[in-house]
Amino acid sequence: MARRPFVAGNWKMHTTLVEARALMKGIREHLSPDLAVDVAVCPPATLLYPFGREVDGTAIKVGAQNVHFEPKGAFTGEISPGMLKAAGCAYVIIGHSERRALFGEGGDFLRKKVIASLSEGLEVIFCVGESLSEREASETMHVVERQMDEVLSSDMDSSRLTVAYEPVWAIGTGRNATPEQAQEVHAFIRGKIGSIFGAEAASNLRIQYGGSVKPGNAAGLMACADVDGALVGGACLVAEDFVSIISAAAASVGG
Ligand code: 13P
């Protein structure tokens, strides 16, 4: 059976409450409620609480862009998995390349976040991906494997895990991976999931592609056997574009 596609919008540091409400209204207006796709929006932390309530009972779920691993305490500026859950979040993005590159996150720090989030009942979107220089040095698989080995282990509940392959050179650049490039890495990631969690997990786990996904390239990417959806940045801030990408994901499984 085909995996149900999963499309998430990473709003990054964009939108105030007023702007975000307009964007959500546009998404709701264009989104057909019976598409066979899981959809999440990941707005800035200030909007998680109102949106967590507003989307309750709709086809759209809310995710956070970051989390801390401690349950509470003197961690100025941080938000715990339990707080996200209480705000109405279903998902959390962990290991995004911007958090890795701009905020020095990696390795054991990310692993602690994944463990804490899963144990709180959140679903985790775990991001991996190589830089341009790493791709040019033919290190893509090695980098992705290392990022997975640092964070994932067989004792985790893989049923609440999504892996997002986001090549750093494709993020915000307008230069997406070709379907062939994406498929090659996604197949590698699925094999690696199999060696960590077993064959059943490998066949069930969804692997999103992220990096300059737009309405014009979504269908080609979604048609790849191991691409099960998208983690969308820039295009998710335009309601029609985000919905068009969701529709391409639905069409890829005949929905
Ligand atoms: P863009 O779609 O803007 O390239 O961003 C991708 C991304 O980083 C999603 O997490």
Side-chain angles (χ1 to χ4, degrees):
M1 209 179 79
R3 290 173 290 275
R4 184 179 165 92
F6 174 27
V7 177
N10 176 4
W11 294 17
K12 307 193 180 182
M13 198 170 74
H14 293 285
T15 72
T16 61
L17 180 59
V18 171
E19 292 162 345
R21 284 230 160 94
L23 177 54
M24 281 297 278
K25 186 164 174 281
I27 293 170
R28 281 218 195 82
E29 274 168 13
H30 291 88
L31 192 65
S32 140
D34 50 5
L35 285 181
V37 179
D38 288 338
V39 177
V41 293
C42 305
T46 48
L47 305 178
L48 294 174
Y49 183 78
F51 277 23
R53 261 120 220 90
E54 285 168 25
V55 301
D56 201 20
T58 76
I60 304 173
K61 295 212 166 103
V62 170
Q65 300 172 19
N66 188 24
V67 66
H68 191 60
F69 50 82
E70 294 286 354
K72 63 172 84 164
F75 302 100
T76 301
E78 296 295 329
I79 301 174
S80 73
M83 292 170 180
L84 293 182
K85 193 83 182 154
C89 280
Y91 295 97
V92 59
I93 300 170
I94 295 177
H96 191 280
S97 69
E98 286 149 19
R99 303 268 355 144
R100 291 177 188 267
L102 303 175
F103 302 97
E105 297 189 6
D108 197 45
F109 190 67
L110 296 177
R111 179 172 159 78
K112 286 180 181 162
K113 292 185 182 211
V114 172
I115 292 170
S117 299
L118 290 174
S119 69
E120 196 59 50
L122 292 163
E123 304 216 17
V124 169
I125 301 174
F126 174 58
C127 303
V128 297
E130 82 287 5
S131 67
L132 184 59
S133 61
E134 288 164 340
R135 173 159 283 266
E136 286 173 349
S138 303
E139 286 172 1
T140 297
M141 306 307 176
H142 176 70
V143 169
V144 166
E145 179 165 42
R146 176 177 47 75
Q147 291 170 334
M148 293 176 75
D149 278 333
E150 283 170 349
V151 171
L152 305 180
S153 55
S154 60
D155 53 344
M156 291 174 175
D157 178 0
S158 66
S159 71
R160 280 187 287 114
L161 192 65
T162 296
V163 175
Y165 170 54
E166 297 208 307
V168 179
W169 48 271
I171 296 177
T173 59
R175 177 187 167 190
N176 61 288
T178 64
E180 295 72 25
Q181 287 172 323
Q183 171 56 28
E184 185 187 21
V185 184
H186 281 231
F188 176 80
I189 290 171
R190 194 170 304 287
K192 183 72 191 168
I193 289 292
S195 65
I196 300 172
F197 296 105
E200 194 183 336
S203 96
N204 291 337
L205 188 137
R206 293 178 297 189
I207 306 173
Q208 297 173 321
Y209 168 78
S212 296
V213 179
K214 307 283 175 206
N217 59 29
L221 288 159
M222 300 302 133
C224 299
D226 289 298
V227 176
D228 308 311
L231 183 54
V232 186
C236 79
L237 297 171
V238 179
E240 292 87 340
D241 290 358
F242 186 53
V243 173
S244 153
I245 293 165
I246 295 166
S247 303
S252 74
V253 291

PDB file of all heavy atoms in Angstrom, residues 181-200:
ATOM      1  N   GLN A 181      18.051  13.199  -8.270  1.00  0.00           N
ATOM      2  CA  GLN A 181      18.916  13.434  -7.101  1.00  0.00           C
ATOM      3  C   GLN A 181      18.156  13.147  -5.807  1.00  0.00           C
ATOM      4  O   GLN A 181      18.692  12.535  -4.881  1.00  0.00           O
ATOM      5  CB  GLN A 181      19.406  14.890  -7.087  1.00  0.00           C
ATOM      6  CG  GLN A 181      20.459  15.198  -8.139  1.00  0.00           C
ATOM      7  CD  GLN A 181      20.764  16.693  -8.227  1.00  0.00           C
ATOM      8  OE1 GLN A 181      19.864  17.533  -8.093  1.00  0.00           O
ATOM      9  NE2 GLN A 181      22.017  17.028  -8.452  1.00  0.00           N
ATOM     10  N   ALA A 182      16.906  13.614  -5.757  1.00  0.00           N
ATOM     11  CA  ALA A 182      16.105  13.398  -4.545  1.00  0.00           C
ATOM     12  C   ALA A 182      15.884  11.897  -4.336  1.00  0.00           C
ATOM     13  O   ALA A 182      16.127  11.370  -3.244  1.00  0.00           O
ATOM     14  CB  ALA A 182      14.773  14.136  -4.645  1.00  0.00           C
ATOM     15  N   GLN A 183      15.461  11.216  -5.382  1.00  0.00           N
ATOM     16  CA  GLN A 183      15.159   9.786  -5.253  1.00  0.00           C
ATOM     17  C   GLN A 183      16.382   8.993  -4.784  1.00  0.00           C
ATOM     18  O   GLN A 183      16.274   8.100  -3.946  1.00  0.00           O
ATOM     19  CB  GLN A 183      14.629   9.240  -6.590  1.00  0.00           C
ATOM     20  CG  GLN A 183      14.478   7.724  -6.650  1.00  0.00           C
ATOM     21  CD  GLN A 183      13.584   7.129  -5.556  1.00  0.00           C
ATOM     22  OE1 GLN A 183      12.674   7.792  -5.048  1.00  0.00           O
ATOM     23  NE2 GLN A 183      13.850   5.883  -5.168  1.00  0.00           N
ATOM     24  N   GLU A 184      17.531   9.354  -5.308  1.00  0.00           N
ATOM     25  CA  GLU A 184      18.748   8.618  -4.934  1.00  0.00           C
ATOM     26  C   GLU A 184      19.002   8.712  -3.417  1.00  0.00           C
ATOM     27  O   GLU A 184      19.265   7.711  -2.755  1.00  0.00           O
ATOM     28  CB  GLU A 184      19.952   9.198  -5.704  1.00  0.00           C
ATOM     29  CG  GLU A 184      21.225   8.432  -5.487  1.00  0.00           C
ATOM     30  CD  GLU A 184      22.446   9.114  -6.119  1.00  0.00           C
ATOM     31  OE1 GLU A 184      22.390  10.337  -6.374  1.00  0.00           O
ATOM     32  OE2 GLU A 184      23.442   8.416  -6.334  1.00  0.00           O
ATOM     33  N   VAL A 185      18.856   9.928  -2.876  1.00  0.00           N
ATOM     34  CA  VAL A 185      19.120  10.099  -1.443  1.00  0.00           C
ATOM     35  C   VAL A 185      17.970   9.514  -0.615  1.00  0.00           C
ATOM     36  O   VAL A 185      18.197   8.887   0.429  1.00  0.00           O
ATOM     37  CB  VAL A 185      19.378  11.583  -1.094  1.00  0.00           C
ATOM     38  CG1 VAL A 185      19.739  11.718   0.380  1.00  0.00           C
ATOM     39  CG2 VAL A 185      20.485  12.153  -1.967  1.00  0.00           C
ATOM     40  N   HIS A 186      16.742   9.698  -1.093  1.00  0.00           N
ATOM     41  CA  HIS A 186      15.600   9.135  -0.345  1.00  0.00           C
ATOM     42  C   HIS A 186      15.705   7.618  -0.249  1.00  0.00           C
ATOM     43  O   HIS A 186      15.411   7.036   0.802  1.00  0.00           O
ATOM     44  CB  HIS A 186      14.277   9.542  -1.011  1.00  0.00           C
ATOM     45  CG  HIS A 186      13.848  10.941  -0.679  1.00  0.00           C
ATOM     46  ND1 HIS A 186      12.583  11.261  -0.208  1.00  0.00           N
ATOM     47  CD2 HIS A 186      14.525  12.108  -0.740  1.00  0.00           C
ATOM     48  CE1 HIS A 186      12.505  12.560   0.005  1.00  0.00           C
ATOM     49  NE2 HIS A 186      13.670  13.100  -0.318  1.00  0.00           N
ATOM     50  N   ALA A 187      16.107   6.969  -1.337  1.00  0.00           N
ATOM     51  CA  ALA A 187      16.248   5.506  -1.297  1.00  0.00           C
ATOM     52  C   ALA A 187      17.335   5.112  -0.300  1.00  0.00           C
ATOM     53  O   ALA A 187      17.195   4.136   0.453  1.00  0.00           O
ATOM     54  CB  ALA A 187      16.584   4.976  -2.691  1.00  0.00           C
ATOM     55  N   PHE A 188      18.403   5.912  -0.257  1.00  0.00           N
ATOM     56  CA  PHE A 188      19.473   5.642   0.701  1.00  0.00           C
ATOM     57  C   PHE A 188      18.951   5.791   2.142  1.00  0.00           C
ATOM     58  O   PHE A 188      19.216   4.957   3.013  1.00  0.00           O
ATOM     59  CB  PHE A 188      20.643   6.599   0.453  1.00  0.00           C
ATOM     60  CG  PHE A 188      21.739   6.460   1.457  1.00  0.00           C
ATOM     61  CD1 PHE A 188      22.672   5.437   1.343  1.00  0.00           C
ATOM     62  CD2 PHE A 188      21.822   7.319   2.538  1.00  0.00           C
ATOM     63  CE1 PHE A 188      23.677   5.283   2.296  1.00  0.00           C
ATOM     64  CE2 PHE A 188      22.824   7.177   3.493  1.00  0.00           C
ATOM     65  CZ  PHE A 188      23.752   6.158   3.364  1.00  0.00           C
ATOM     66  N   ILE A 189      18.176   6.872   2.367  1.00  0.00           N
ATOM     67  CA  ILE A 189      17.623   7.114   3.712  1.00  0.00           C
ATOM     68  C   ILE A 189      16.697   5.958   4.103  1.00  0.00           C
ATOM     69  O   ILE A 189      16.736   5.467   5.232  1.00  0.00           O
ATOM     70  CB  ILE A 189      16.866   8.465   3.752  1.00  0.00           C
ATOM     71  CG1 ILE A 189      17.866   9.624   3.644  1.00  0.00           C
ATOM     72  CG2 ILE A 189      16.019   8.590   5.019  1.00  0.00           C
ATOM     73  CD1 ILE A 189      17.232  10.998   3.451  1.00  0.00           C
ATOM     74  N   ARG A 190      15.893   5.481   3.158  1.00  0.00           N
ATOM     75  CA  ARG A 190      14.973   4.390   3.478  1.00  0.00           C
ATOM     76  C   ARG A 190      15.766   3.113   3.834  1.00  0.00           C
ATOM     77  O   ARG A 190      15.410   2.387   4.756  1.00  0.00           O
ATOM     78  CB  ARG A 190      14.004   4.130   2.322  1.00  0.00           C
ATOM     79  CG  ARG A 190      12.830   3.246   2.740  1.00  0.00           C
ATOM     80  CD  ARG A 190      11.731   3.158   1.690  1.00  0.00           C
ATOM     81  NE  ARG A 190      11.192   4.443   1.275  1.00  0.00           N
ATOM     82  CZ  ARG A 190      10.393   5.215   2.015  1.00  0.00           C
ATOM     83  NH1 ARG A 190      10.023   4.826   3.224  1.00  0.00           N
ATOM     84  NH2 ARG A 190       9.956   6.377   1.546  1.00  0.00           N
ATOM     85  N   GLY A 191      16.831   2.888   3.123  1.00  0.00           N
ATOM     86  CA  GLY A 191      17.672   1.734   3.440  1.00  0.00           C
ATOM     87  C   GLY A 191      18.260   1.858   4.841  1.00  0.00           C
ATOM     88  O   GLY A 191      18.308   0.897   5.614  1.00  0.00           O
ATOM     89  N   LYS A 192      18.685   3.043   5.166  1.00  0.00           N
ATOM     90  CA  LYS A 192      19.272   3.299   6.485  1.00  0.00           C
ATOM     91  C   LYS A 192      18.207   3.145   7.587  1.00  0.00           C
ATOM     92  O   LYS A 192      18.490   2.599   8.659  1.00  0.00           O
ATOM     93  CB  LYS A 192      19.856   4.720   6.478  1.00  0.00           C
ATOM     94  CG  LYS A 192      20.569   5.125   7.721  1.00  0.00           C
ATOM     95  CD  LYS A 192      21.896   4.429   7.873  1.00  0.00           C
ATOM     96  CE  LYS A 192      22.452   4.663   9.269  1.00  0.00           C
ATOM     97  NZ  LYS A 192      23.586   3.782   9.559  1.00  0.00           N
ATOM     98  N   ILE A 193      17.001   3.627   7.325  1.00  0.00           N
ATOM     99  CA  ILE A 193      15.894   3.430   8.275  1.00  0.00           C
ATOM    100  C   ILE A 193      15.685   1.926   8.495  1.00  0.00           C
ATOM    101  O   ILE A 193      15.475   1.466   9.621  1.00  0.00           O
ATOM    102  CB  ILE A 193      14.593   4.099   7.744  1.00  0.00           C
ATOM    103  CG1 ILE A 193      14.717   5.625   7.802  1.00  0.00           C
ATOM    104  CG2 ILE A 193      13.350   3.625   8.521  1.00  0.00           C
ATOM    105  CD1 ILE A 193      14.769   6.211   9.198  1.00  0.00           C
ATOM    106  N   GLY A 194      15.772   1.165   7.410  1.00  0.00           N
ATOM    107  CA  GLY A 194      15.633  -0.284   7.518  1.00  0.00           C
ATOM    108  C   GLY A 194      16.701  -0.886   8.407  1.00  0.00           C
ATOM    109  O   GLY A 194      16.424  -1.760   9.234  1.00  0.00           O
ATOM    110  N   SER A 195      17.926  -0.389   8.272  1.00  0.00           N
ATOM    111  CA  SER A 195      18.978  -0.995   9.092  1.00  0.00           C
ATOM    112  C   SER A 195      18.883  -0.545  10.550  1.00  0.00           C
ATOM    113  O   SER A 195      19.312  -1.269  11.441  1.00  0.00           O
ATOM    114  CB  SER A 195      20.373  -0.761   8.499  1.00  0.00           C
ATOM    115  OG  SER A 195      20.675   0.590   8.516  1.00  0.00           O
ATOM    116  N   ILE A 196      18.275   0.587  10.822  1.00  0.00           N
ATOM    117  CA  ILE A 196      18.106   1.012  12.228  1.00  0.00           C
ATOM    118  C   ILE A 196      16.843   0.374  12.835  1.00  0.00           C
ATOM    119  O   ILE A 196      16.879  -0.183  13.928  1.00  0.00           O
ATOM    120  CB  ILE A 196      18.014   2.555  12.354  1.00  0.00           C
ATOM    121  CG1 ILE A 196      19.277   3.222  11.832  1.00  0.00           C
ATOM    122  CG2 ILE A 196      17.745   2.964  13.804  1.00  0.00           C
ATOM    123  CD1 ILE A 196      19.201   4.749  11.725  1.00  0.00           C
ATOM    124  N   PHE A 197      15.715   0.487  12.112  1.00  0.00           N
ATOM    125  CA  PHE A 197      14.410   0.131  12.710  1.00  0.00           C
ATOM    126  C   PHE A 197      13.805  -1.159  12.150  1.00  0.00           C
ATOM    127  O   PHE A 197      12.794  -1.624  12.651  1.00  0.00           O
ATOM    128  CB  PHE A 197      13.402   1.262  12.481  1.00  0.00           C
ATOM    129  CG  PHE A 197      13.747   2.556  13.154  1.00  0.00           C
ATOM    130  CD1 PHE A 197      14.246   3.630  12.428  1.00  0.00           C
ATOM    131  CD2 PHE A 197      13.567   2.719  14.525  1.00  0.00           C
ATOM    132  CE1 PHE A 197      14.561   4.836  13.046  1.00  0.00           C
ATOM    133  CE2 PHE A 197      13.876   3.924  15.152  1.00  0.00           C
ATOM    134  CZ  PHE A 197      14.380   4.978  14.406  1.00  0.00           C
ATOM    135  N   GLY A 198      14.342  -1.677  11.052  1.00  0.00           N
ATOM    136  CA  GLY A 198      13.774  -2.886  10.460  1.00  0.00           C
ATOM    137  C   GLY A 198      12.959  -2.590   9.198  1.00  0.00           C
ATOM    138  O   GLY A 198      12.636  -1.437   8.897  1.00  0.00           O
ATOM    139  N   ALA A 199      12.643  -3.671   8.498  1.00  0.00           N
ATOM    140  CA  ALA A 199      12.029  -3.550   7.171  1.00  0.00           C
ATOM    141  C   ALA A 199      10.633  -2.927   7.206  1.00  0.00           C
ATOM    142  O   ALA A 199      10.261  -2.143   6.328  1.00  0.00           O
ATOM    143  CB  ALA A 199      11.964  -4.926   6.519  1.00  0.00           C
ATOM    144  N   GLU A 200       9.854  -3.269   8.222  1.00  0.00           N
ATOM    145  CA  GLU A 200       8.487  -2.743   8.264  1.00  0.00           C
ATOM    146  C   GLU A 200       8.509  -1.227   8.455  1.00  0.00           C
ATOM    147  O   GLU A 200       7.790  -0.489   7.767  1.00  0.00           O
ATOM    148  CB  GLU A 200       7.704  -3.420   9.393  1.00  0.00           C
ATOM    149  CG  GLU A 200       6.214  -3.172   9.262  1.00  0.00           C
ATOM    150  CD  GLU A 200       5.408  -3.773  10.411  1.00  0.00           C
ATOM    151  OE1 GLU A 200       5.895  -4.726  11.053  1.00  0.00           O
ATOM    152  OE2 GLU A 200       4.303  -3.263  10.649  1.00  0.00           O
TER     153      GLU A 200
END
